[in-house]
Amino acid sequence: MSDESANLKRSLKNRHIQLIAMGGAIGTGLFLGSAHIIQSAGPSIILGYAIGGLIAFLIMRQLGEMIVEEPVAGSFSHLAYKYWGRFAGFLTGWNYWVVYLLVAMTELTAVAQYINYWWPHIPAWASVLFFFILITGINLLNVKIYGESEFWLALIKVASVLAMIVFGLYLLFFAPPSPSSSFTNLWTHGGFFPHGFDGLFYMLAFILFAFGGIELIGMTAAEADQPKKSIPKAINQVVFRVLIFYIGSLSILLSLVSWDELQLGSLEQSPFVLIFKQLGFSWAAHLLNFIILTAALSVYNSGMYANSRMLFGLAKQKNAPQIFLKTNKQGVPYYCVLFSAVLIFACVLLNYFVPEKALSHLMYISVAGLVLNWAMITCTHLKFKKVKQQKGEKTAFPALFSPASNYVVLAFIMLVLYIMCNQGFAESVIILPLWVFVLFILYKFKLDEK
């Protein structure tokens, strides 16, 4: 056992970093959350994910420029602390930690929905508890074991989505499963915008949730063996992942079955599974359900990893109790893992008491925290660039079109907040300033203790 933060091990190889980056971008937001968006936006969901992907890519390049220069524990919390101020680092770190508690709970709750597809008699809380214990155990082991587990979970997910796309193309061109299966489904049946542009516009806040997790790559920087090589490569591939996994898969699936014929009953149903089930490919539906289960476990696994490393970084800044700096011989900050796990356990209780509402509540609250995360990243990057320019220093991986891209991101975030206020997310928006105020009081209390 050691109290030294230097005991974090640089054990994550390039292949781990690449798949962790993919794993963070493909989860419940695509496989499960897209059901609600399809009902409201129809085929224009494809454009929505393209817009969200562009904004996410701009943010990733801003984050990437900073972490390639300083690949340290705590990621952008450390950067906010150094280039913006002590409270900015405190706010960014604790907000990120809380958001990933919520994301982990969301993915864990989604797991219960996928298990219920096969075994509806198993209560949601039981499924949640089983996988909670499993993933917590993985995260208490050597970081290389985490990297390996995430590598294979993400690889299954990536390979399977590619196979689904190929199979969908085969059906469309060579063996249409129904007379109505055609690419024309994307612009007939009410048009590309069946409910007008408003149908898509008011779903942008929900689409944002799908991209929560792309910033996870920043948390791997302190344990990557070649961060200056692997991180830029992973970030530059984000835009291609979005095009293939989000836009490609949804374009094909909504061509196989028109959006208005898709029998979506609720948010808790995956359109990916339902489409193949409706087409009579029950084996494909079962296979997809397994793939989506691994996707949720992958994001949950990464979420617990991100939580523990952010808490470790906060302790290093002296913004969290110093006990969180303790690591074992394998370099795992085990107190950080266990503390985050105790709070994630609340998800088991939530699924026990309100299983029918657990997923929607968690997704709505998570969006508010993600908005604040992204705003802090892009604002910190502006501060970072200003310091570098004053010193006349050039960076190895400059962000695209900065500072214009920073203001585009901030404008999009303000737009998302407006949408949230008008689409039942008002409570989440109201919570944001209250949450910042609570963190400020805690920050001042911490200073007074000194």
Side-chain angles (χ1 to χ4, degrees), residues 241-254:
R241 295 186 203 112
V242 170
L243 287 172
I244 294 171
F245 295 112
Y246 283 76
I247 298 173
S249 61
L250 286 167
S251 295
I252 290 167
L253 291 175
L254 292 178

Side-chain angles (χ1 to χ4, degrees), residues 383-409:
K383 301 283 186 181
F384 169 87
K385 290 291 285 186
K386 184 177 180 180
V387 170
K388 293 298 181 184
Q389 287 169 358
Q390 287 173 347
K391 292 182 178 180
E393 297 176 357
K394 291 187 177 181
T395 56
F397 187 51
L400 296 176
F401 313 118
S402 182
S405 62
N406 298 74
Y407 297 120
V408 168
V409 169

Side-chain angles (χ1 to χ4, degrees), residues 167-206:
F167 181 56
L169 287 171
Y170 166 77
L171 291 177
L172 284 169
F173 286 109
F174 302 107
S178 75
S180 61
S181 294
S182 168
F183 282 113
T184 60
N185 284 331
L186 298 178
W187 55 85
T188 54
H189 300 273
F192 189 68
F193 296 96
H195 296 142
F197 184 73
D198 284 0
L200 172 62
F201 178 76
Y202 287 111
M203 284 294 102
L204 287 178
F206 216 94

Side-chain angles (χ1 to χ4, degrees), residues 341-415:
V342 166
L343 295 179
I344 291 172
F345 184 75
C347 182
V348 178
L349 302 177
L350 189 63
N351 277 275
Y352 181 81
F353 290 108
V354 285
E356 70 285 349
K357 297 181 179 179
L359 183 62
S360 58
H361 284 333
L362 287 168
M363 289 183 80
Y364 294 155
I365 297 171
S366 297
V367 169
L370 288 169
V371 164
L372 182 57
N373 262 348
W374 287 12
M376 294 300 289
I377 290 172
T378 200
C379 288
T380 298
H381 181 255
L382 286 171
K383 301 283 186 181
F384 169 87
K385 290 291 285 186
K386 184 177 180 180
V387 170
K388 293 298 181 184
Q389 287 169 358
Q390 287 173 347
K391 292 182 178 180
E393 297 176 357
K394 291 187 177 181
T395 56
F397 187 51
L400 296 176
F401 313 118
S402 182
S405 62
N406 298 74
Y407 297 120
V408 168
V409 169
L410 291 173
F412 181 79
I413 287 171
M414 294 302 294
L415 185 66

